[in-house]
Amino acid sequence: MSKHTATLIDNETGEQFELDILHPSQGPKAIDVTSLYRETGILAYDPGFMSTASCWSDITYLDGNKGLLEYRGYPIQELAEQGSYMETCYLLLNGELPNAEQLHEFTDRVVHHTMLHEQIKRFYSGFRRDAHPMATMVGVVGALSAFYHEYMDIHDPENRYETAILLIAKMPTIAAWSYRYANGTPFVYPDNALGYAENFLHMMFALPTEDYTSDPRMVRALEVILITHADHEQNASTSTVRLAGSSEVNPFAAISAGIASLWGPAHGGANEAVVRMLMDIRDSGKPLIHFLEKAKDKAQKFRLMGFGHRVYKNYDPRAKILRELCHDIIDKSPLAEEHHELLDIAMKLEAVAMEDDYFISRKLYPNVDFYSGIIFLSMGIPLNMFTVMFAMARTVGWVAHWHEMMGDDKSRIARPRQLYTGKTHREYPPIDERD
Ligand code: CMC
């Protein structure tokens, strides 16, 4: 392809600058501004990265206008319907779906990393029992860097790959133990005879006093949730992992930073916030329209949680999958009545919002977090564990991006600039001369 450029004209000075235009395999083209400052002394200003591509990536593609999401070219619907989470992890890390032998070998490698160093168990008891499990998870994952010293050779691709597997394997144990510690029930060790999702449910709910077998429908529902949450290109937490990793920090510190970023209600914390909102609506006795109007009122901080997305200006394809799954799963929940009620409120809220000009004109559709929480509730997962579930699923995305970035010779330390708005130069006054 011939070189494609754009011309930037500074209308004040009349100077002109040629900037290269870059073409990805799909998606919008981009103006390459990497040399802009060096050559022109001008910075690019883009708070919130509304128009900024921060890297090249082969992993995940999403088209927000079409509501399309693909991992390595495979549509999310097909992976969720036909695939498994282990296959998805292999795909995200390696670029291709595994054959039967590769899947067996990969799963075996994951399984051999599910245990935590025994000393980590004692680390948990340093936390308050009422700590939010996300707080515990941020701490424990960061602390892995104090335990797994042999997994920090960040410039060796083999070592990075093994670290990726280690993190995918240990995350369910860390997540389940965060719950068990808060709950006051004994930690349950991983059972390597079980699949990834089933093992997690086992560590969450098994008791030493009785037999525990997971409901296969819940196991499959969790697989679908894990697959649909596995990656989502350069979202806030993934960008945080890349940014932290760009200073060549160890992977455990970088992933811990990603978990912290995910926690906020504008990102992964929305799944917990959605269910709290649905419960508030139910308990308030007020009509739905009251909450809709509140969400539209700019004087109020309130937003419809689980609605809107920076990139999707169409129905989030993950929300479509989870909406169906939600209907299917709540019928099997032992607490079905309460969950039916919440699902009913969610469906009505979606229906009124989708007919409201405010939401239509801003292209605000339900996102992945709108229905996932009701599914978690039906599985018996407590509210404050919802974002932990998201973190567990997203770990593969984070490590895949970190691995890709560390192997990319275009990567350098992420160091944005600013437009300074503070005081200009002034002399230091002695203390007795100050007002
Ligand atoms: N309720 C009411 N108004 C909204 C909402 C909402 N949920 N989301 C966006 N808006 C309005 C916003 O007020 C703004 O209006 P105006 O143009 O009049 O100023 C317009 O829509 C654009 O919103 P924005 O905040 O500029 O968009 P953004 O891309 O910066 O934010 C978002 C995206 C996801 C943070 C936002 O839509 C939001 O806060 N949603 C609720 C929280 C949520 O569900 N988060 C989960 C996101 S998906 C999963 C994930 O990332 O983990």
CSV table of all heavy atoms in Angstrom, one decimal, residues 174 220 274 328:
chain,number,residue,atom,x,y,z
A,174,ILE,N,-7.4,-17.9,44.6
A,174,ILE,CA,-7.3,-16.6,45.3
A,174,ILE,C,-8.7,-16.0,45.5
A,174,ILE,O,-9.0,-15.5,46.6
A,174,ILE,CB,-6.4,-15.6,44.5
A,174,ILE,CG1,-4.9,-16.1,44.5
A,174,ILE,CG2,-6.5,-14.2,45.1
A,174,ILE,CD1,-4.0,-15.4,43.6
A,220,ARG,N,-21.8,-24.7,33.5
A,220,ARG,CA,-21.8,-24.3,32.1
A,220,ARG,C,-22.1,-22.7,32.0
A,220,ARG,O,-21.4,-22.0,31.3
A,220,ARG,CB,-22.9,-25.0,31.3
A,220,ARG,CG,-22.9,-24.7,29.8
A,220,ARG,CD,-21.6,-24.9,29.0
A,220,ARG,NE,-21.5,-24.1,27.9
A,220,ARG,CZ,-20.3,-23.8,27.3
A,220,ARG,NH1,-19.2,-24.2,27.7
A,220,ARG,NH2,-20.3,-23.0,26.2
A,274,VAL,N,-25.1,-2.7,39.6
A,274,VAL,CA,-26.4,-2.9,38.9
A,274,VAL,C,-27.4,-3.6,39.8
A,274,VAL,O,-28.5,-3.2,40.0
A,274,VAL,CB,-26.2,-3.8,37.6
A,274,VAL,CG1,-27.5,-4.3,37.1
A,274,VAL,CG2,-25.4,-3.1,36.5
A,328,ASP,N,-32.5,-18.4,31.3
A,328,ASP,CA,-32.4,-19.8,31.3
A,328,ASP,C,-32.0,-20.3,32.8
A,328,ASP,O,-32.6,-21.2,33.3
A,328,ASP,CB,-31.2,-20.2,30.4
A,328,ASP,CG,-31.1,-21.7,30.2
A,328,ASP,OD1,-32.2,-22.3,30.1
A,328,ASP,OD2,-30.0,-22.2,30.1
